[in-house]
Amino acid sequence: MSEQFATGPVGIIGGTGLTRLSGLVIEGEQQVVTNWGEPSDRLVKGRLGEQEVVFLARHGNPHRIPPHQVNYRANLQALYDAGVRTVVGVNAVGGIHRDMGPARVVIPDQLIDYTWGRASTFFEGELESTTHIDFTWPYCEDSRQLLVESARKAGVPFSDFGVYGATQGPRLETAAEIKRMERDGCDLVGMTGMPEAVLAAELGMRYSCLALVVNWAAGKTEAIITIDEIEAAIEQGMTGVKRILEQSVADLGRLGSKD
């Protein structure tokens, strides 16, 4: 595609281990308030190469907001109001699938929602009619394929499939819960994949997930999960995540909103 078809800024929602992008040339920061309250942090506006980017730290910067208390509606609304129509959610996750161990990058294609009690839709209150959206494929396939292609070009080891199981948190799961999730078909476990994905869909945004495995899920090894282990995997794997973003962001910006 030629540059004349570039649309608007690409939104990047950073999770644990990604509160800033080192290659992002910052042009300004904006504190906003939406109809759903305040987002997790200021919107950081800048450029990766020639592409306009709006970055938002999902848990705030410094990392302070637990997964179940993130104002997902305000986060997505703030990005939408800033002109973002294509979003990449970067998520730190636990690995269930045998090929998805620590420091592995995964671009999932499906998810299962185990969360509860979270504000998970924009469609509530005094509505003129009940609204339902199709959520058969929770991630935008066009965006996913751009991330897959970029990972290959960047030479980053990755998996191009995966079912993301979203749990409530903030505690980690029991071994029995992970066994149940594995029986359900989950390859990954995380705490922030929902309702982020469905809220983006309700707004008509293209949403994809770029997941970094930071530990084996509970019971997949004999070891106890430690913060040191997680931090080591983040340090090892986040470079690959950033390389994929840098490789893909210009093409993501040309996608625009969903039809």
Side-chain angles (χ1 to χ4, degrees):
M1 297 183 187
S2 63
E3 289 296 323
Q4 64 179 329
F5 292 111
T7 53
V10 172
I12 299 174
I13 303 177
T16 301
L18 184 64
T19 55
R20 294 281 182 169
L21 284 172
S22 56
L24 181 66
V25 178
I26 297 176
E27 298 178 339
E29 299 187 6
Q30 183 181 9
Q31 183 72 50
V32 300
V33 178
T34 75
N35 291 338
W36 308 99
E38 295 185 3
S40 298
D41 207 343
R42 295 182 297 276
L43 300 182
V44 179
K45 300 183 177 183
R47 292 186 179 274
L48 272 174
E50 297 300 315
Q51 174 61 47
E52 187 179 358
V53 170
V54 180
F55 179 81
L56 176 61
R58 184 186 289 114
H59 299 281
N61 186 19
H63 188 290
R64 66 184 186 280
I65 306 172
H68 65 298
Q69 291 187 323
V70 171
N71 190 338
Y72 294 95
R73 289 192 294 192
N75 285 355
L76 271 298
Q77 188 68 60
L79 291 172
Y80 187 89
D81 292 345
V84 170
R85 298 297 181 268
T86 300
V87 182
V88 178
V90 179
N91 300 83
V93 299
I96 299 175
H97 191 284
R98 64 180 179 276
D99 295 333
M100 298 179 186
R104 181 77 170 184
V105 172
V106 182
I107 304 168
D109 57 349
Q110 271 295 341
L111 63 79
I112 298 176
D113 187 9
Y114 299 94
T115 66
W116 50 269
R118 301 183 182 189
S120 58
T121 181
F122 292 111
F123 300 127
E124 63 181 24
E126 297 182 5
L127 302 176
E128 294 183 0
S129 61
T130 300
T131 305
H132 305 279
I133 64 163
D134 181 83
F135 202 51
T136 305
W137 307 106
Y139 302 116
C140 168
E141 189 59 23
D142 290 338
S143 298
R144 262 188 22 88
Q145 289 305 319
L146 284 176
L147 293 176
V148 167
E149 182 180 349
S150 295
R152 291 190 178 122
K153 288 181 178 178
V156 177
F158 75 102
S159 297
D160 63 356
F161 70 95
V163 177
Y164 181 129
T167 58
Q168 180 69 1
R171 68 166 177 84
L172 298 175
E173 299 72 34
T174 68
E177 287 170 333
I178 293 299
K179 285 182 180 179
R180 180 191 67 166
M181 294 177 70
E182 190 167 19
R183 289 194 299 270
D184 287 349
C186 294
D187 301 302
L188 305 166
V189 57
M191 301 175 188
T192 55
M194 284 290 284
E196 195 169 274
V198 72
L199 292 171
E202 288 186 350
L203 290 171
M205 303 167 87
R206 294 182 178 273
Y207 180 90
S208 55
C209 172
L210 189 56
L212 175 63
V213 180
V214 298
N215 59 272
W216 284 112
K220 301 306 292 183
T221 69
E222 295 297 323
I224 299 297
I225 300 169
T226 67
I227 296 300
D228 288 343
E229 171 192 3
I230 291 172
E231 290 178 347
I234 289 173
E235 184 175 354
Q236 181 182 351
M238 196 54 70
T239 298
V241 169
K242 293 177 180 179
R243 285 165 58 192
I244 294 170
L245 290 172
E246 290 166 359
Q247 183 77 40
S248 64
V249 71
D251 288 331
L252 289 168
R254 298 185 183 101
L255 288 176
S257 57
K258 294 187 290 186
D259 295 333

